[in-house]
Amino acid sequence: ARAAEAHFAAGQRARSLFAYAEALDHFASALALDHPDSAELHEAVGDVHTLRGEYRAALAAYETAAATGSDDRLGRIEHKLGRVHSRRGQWDLAERHFEASLELSGQHARVYADRSLAARRRGSAAEALALAERALELAEDAGDDEALAQAHNIMGMLLDDPRHLEQSLAIAEGLPDPT
């Protein structure tokens, strides 16, 4: 059990250093050693595959996390599934997962921001703007700086407004992970 925990911690550290192959190796070792939270590991594996642009592998990992995890994690995983489908240009699938995330987890600014970005990519400018405005409102109400930076970024893109982009950058620079 201690070895599984050590591999999980090493995988998290490797991921934070952008050493994605090493992170995947450590996560695989933690799974092989029967880490007590396999759903968390599968979600972490999905995150790394997403960062590497390996979307099929990311979807498989997230689906495994959803199938093996607790209900309190499911809304977050649905959101991540939506993001991956959006990156693949699968708008209907992305929207279904975003809606499921909202149903399971409530009104979250980050989901609205990702829905806005997907709407922009598929050419629905009015819908994208309405969703971005809702994301901005929810982020401000929640005091969620990461979501606030994301919402300002999308508003800046949609409105071609450098003020929103500058606000996004200023907020992002104060975050632990500015990416």
Side-chain angles (χ1 to χ4, degrees), residues 1 3-9 23-46 49 61 64-65 68:
E5 288 291 339
H7 276 290
F8 177 68
L24 290 172
D25 288 343
H26 283 294
F27 293 150
S29 294
L31 283 166
L33 292 167
D34 292 324
H35 187 276
D37 192 350
S38 65
E40 182 178 20
L41 273 164
H42 285 291
E43 184 178 354
V45 167
H49 282 304
T64 301
T68 60

Side-chain angles (χ1 to χ4, degrees), residues 55-56 59 63 80-98 114 118-119 121-122:
Y55 299 136
R56 283 187 186 166
L59 290 171
E63 288 167 0
K80 290 179 179 187
L81 284 164
R83 291 180 80 175
V84 172
H85 285 298
S86 180
R87 287 177 180 214
R88 296 180 79 187
Q90 298 171 318
W91 313 121
D92 291 339
L93 281 171
E95 187 59 26
R96 281 198 295 266
H97 285 289
F98 290 147
D114 285 330
R121 288 179 178 158
R122 72 173 181 270

